[in-house]
Amino acid sequence: MRFDDRCTTIAGMTKNSRPRDSAGSPVAILAPYGPDNTRATKLVVSIFRRPGDRNPLATRIWTTEAADVRSDPTISPEVAAFVSSYGVKRTVNADRIVGCPHEEGIDYPMGRSCSQCPFWAGIDRFTHEPIAVPVPSMSAEDVLSTLTEDPPNEFEAALTSADAHREALVDRLLEALERGLADPSGASTQTASLFSYALYLLAKWREPRAYPYVVRWLSLAEEEPFEIAGDIVTQDGARILAAVCDGNLEPIKALVLDRQADEWGRSAGVGALMLLAAWAEVPRAPVIDWFLWLAREGLEREPSAVWDSLAADSADVEALEVFPELRRAYDRELIDAQFMRRTELDAAEARPRGETVRQTRERHPPIDDVAAATAWWDRLSRDADDKSEGLVYDDDVGNADVSEYGAVAEPYRAPPKVGRNEPCPCGSGKKYKKCCGQ
């Protein structure tokens, strides 16, 4: 479990924390971790230049299985010497064990519970109390109805209630995916709305039964994935696909190689493999080996979004073995230098090993909050101050159809004013989808 700001908050309530003393001196934060809330096997000591800083000057970790790390007679003097070497005048000690000693995304997959420390599953690591399950304000049927119509002021309550009705909703949401896939181009706005919410909810729940449906969606022919789910393809397609993967990577590999599929759907497949490796869902080495095969011979020798994703995702997962082939691809203009500069490969090589992967995990974590994950959707709201003014639109959606509930009928799948395959109006000479439409 990683140290975070809440440790400082809890530790700040302990007796030996006196903020007014030595305010300008370095401060040491001591955070113990253990397999349960009775025995600490790991101690993380971080030195900060001053209280409130986010980035430590230095961090050291001590581990032991022989005793409680907080009272180990060999570790205590080492901790004291480390703290003293930085001139620390004040230490802040967490007053309790603050979670599992294993690191999410390294020792166990992101968004999962640690299999080695079952005690912490469903337990708040700071209060040591069971994590409360929100009381639903809607029935399962009301959730489905609301997410189908998508009124702007009710979707958050529906999403909160959905978690409480997960068992009853999974099959219904899988059916919603099937309905959308049956006619992606002709789907109604209601079908598209529920289809889109189903993608996110099933991804949040890490539902493997959704895996074949998501692969089918991203394998649709050109433009069809967008017609049913809009820019979700490029915004979160990779995260959704990675979240529902059942461990068998072959369907994703087949998607990446499917030249009949939309190139952005194929790109999402590359991104999903990268995320599965970054999240520690699958071993990293086989993913990198396959990326290397793609760069050497697996991908067609013509520019595409798939090449662009291969470059970006190889950098994000520190697939350094692939970089020489990617540089050759840049020389052959297979990778769009406007999408990603080749110097980004140099920057990734120069960073300390593991740093880029850590940043990738932070930027692209598993979906755990659907309302937050869909905040980029254009949604319509009513002006509470002046009902006579009617409807208030976000950004440039003034021409969108409006439902009887006052919601944009399909805000997140409204097509661009320029066709994705038409020349980009910026004058670059590229297709819109390869330029300003990315």
Side-chain angles (χ1 to χ4, degrees):
M1 186 66 72
R2 293 170 293 178
F3 174 81
D4 65 23
D5 293 338
R6 288 186 63 188
C7 292
T8 307
T9 302
I10 291 175
M13 295 187 289
T14 60
K15 293 181 180 179
N16 64 340
S17 174
R18 306 208 309 268
R20 289 176 293 179
D21 294 344
S22 307
S25 301
V27 59
I29 307 292
L30 282 68
Y33 300 85
D36 54 38
N37 64 349
T38 63
R39 182 171 64 93
T41 59
K42 176 179 177 179
L43 181 67
V44 178
V45 181
S46 299
I47 310 295
F48 293 85
R49 190 179 304 277
R50 61 183 61 83
D53 282 0
R54 294 188 63 84
N55 298 316
L57 288 171
T59 298
R60 277 196 63 182
I61 298 173
W62 285 265
T63 61
T64 181
E65 294 293 337
D68 192 301
V69 71
R70 295 168 293 182
S71 57
D72 189 298
T74 62
I75 291 176
S76 295
E78 293 180 11
V79 172
F82 174 65
V83 169
S84 178
S85 69
Y86 283 88
V88 169
K89 303 297 184 183
R90 179 163 63 93
T91 60
V92 180
N93 295 290
D95 62 357
R96 66 196 69 188
I97 294 171
V98 290
C100 162
H102 303 103
E103 292 196 54
E104 182 183 15
I106 297 176
D107 300 312
Y108 64 94
M110 287 192 72
R112 309 278 189 178
S113 298
C114 177
S115 61
Q116 300 178 68
C117 303
F119 171 84
W120 294 106
I123 297 293
D124 186 300
R125 65 192 183 100
F126 297 101
T127 67
H128 295 185
E129 298 291 333
I131 297 172
V133 178
V135 177
S137 59
M138 295 183 179
S139 67
E141 288 298 327
D142 286 341
V143 168
L144 290 171
S145 176
T146 300
L147 298 183
T148 298
E149 299 296 342
D150 200 17
N153 298 321
E154 298 180 33
F155 72 94
E156 291 193 48
L159 293 173
T160 299
S161 298
D163 288 331
H165 298 299
R166 173 177 174 175
E167 192 170 322
L169 287 174
V170 168
D171 285 341
R172 302 289 296 275
L173 294 176
L174 293 174
E175 292 170 3
L177 295 183
E178 182 62 58
R179 284 195 299 274
L181 291 170
D183 186 11
S185 301
S188 67
T189 56
Q190 290 79 12
T191 297
S193 176
L194 189 56
F195 181 95
S196 299
Y197 278 115
L199 289 173
Y200 280 93
L201 283 169
L202 293 167
K204 176 185 178 180
W205 298 336
R206 310 298 282 269
E207 177 52 63
R209 284 185 290 166
Y211 186 30
Y213 295 93
V214 176
V215 170
R216 284 172 55 196
W217 164 53
L218 295 171
S219 300
L220 292 170
E222 187 166 352
E223 298 305 308
E224 286 189 322
F226 293 90
E227 289 172 351
I228 183 62
D231 287 338
I232 294 173
V233 179
T234 50
Q235 185 79 10
D236 283 318
R239 280 208 299 169
I240 292 168
L241 180 57
V244 299
C245 176
D246 62 7
N248 176 15
L249 303 185
E250 295 308 312
I252 300 180
K253 292 179 179 180
L255 163 64
V256 173
L257 297 176
D258 183 1
R259 299 191 64 176
Q260 302 303 311
D262 182 273
E263 63 178 320
W264 299 102
R266 296 173 65 194
S267 298
V270 177
L273 292 172
M274 179 277 291
L275 288 175
L276 286 166
W279 294 348
E281 286 281 349
V282 300
R284 186 168 158 274
V287 170
I288 293 176
D289 288 345
W290 201 70
F291 279 8
L292 182 59
W293 174 80
L294 285 177
R296 282 178 174 168
E297 58 182 291
L299 282 184
E300 57 272 20
R301 305 291 110 171
E302 58 186 55
S304 71
V306 190
W307 272 108
D308 296 343
S309 291
L310 182 61
D313 294 324
S314 293
D316 284 346
V317 79
E318 296 181 13
L320 305 186
E321 301 89 331
V322 188
F323 285 14
E325 295 296 334
L326 293 174
R327 290 189 174 101
R328 280 188 275 274
Y330 271 107
D331 292 338
R332 297 167 186 159
E333 298 185 346
L334 298 175
I335 300 170
D336 186 351
Q338 292 184 337
F339 178 86
M340 173 180 157
R341 298 185 302 273
R342 66 187 298 161
T343 54
E344 293 185 45
L345 298 178
D346 302 331
E349 282 182 323
R351 293 190 194 100
R353 297 286 75 81
E355 177 62 19
T356 299
V357 177
R358 181 190 65 78
Q359 293 177 3
T360 298
R361 287 195 294 266
E362 290 181 354
R363 290 198 316 271
H364 307 292
I367 294 165
D368 63 3
D369 183 335
V370 176
T374 59
W376 59 276
W377 292 3
D378 287 326
R379 288 189 171 100
L380 195 60
S381 60
R382 288 191 180 276
D383 188 344
D385 296 325
D386 188 356
K387 297 293 185 182
S388 65
E389 292 297 321
L391 302 172
V392 179
Y393 293 86
D394 292 332
D395 302 322
D396 185 21
V397 292
N399 294 323
D401 291 334
V402 179
S403 75
E404 61 182 347
Y405 292 97
V408 176
E410 43 180 337
Y412 37 85
R413 60 191 290 257
K417 295 176 182 177
V418 179
R420 293 175 61 82
N421 287 306
E422 295 176 14
C424 188
C426 76
S428 66
K430 299 180 180 181
K431 291 182 179 181
Y432 179 80
K433 68 182 181 182
K434 290 287 287 181
C435 190
C436 297
Q438 294 190 66

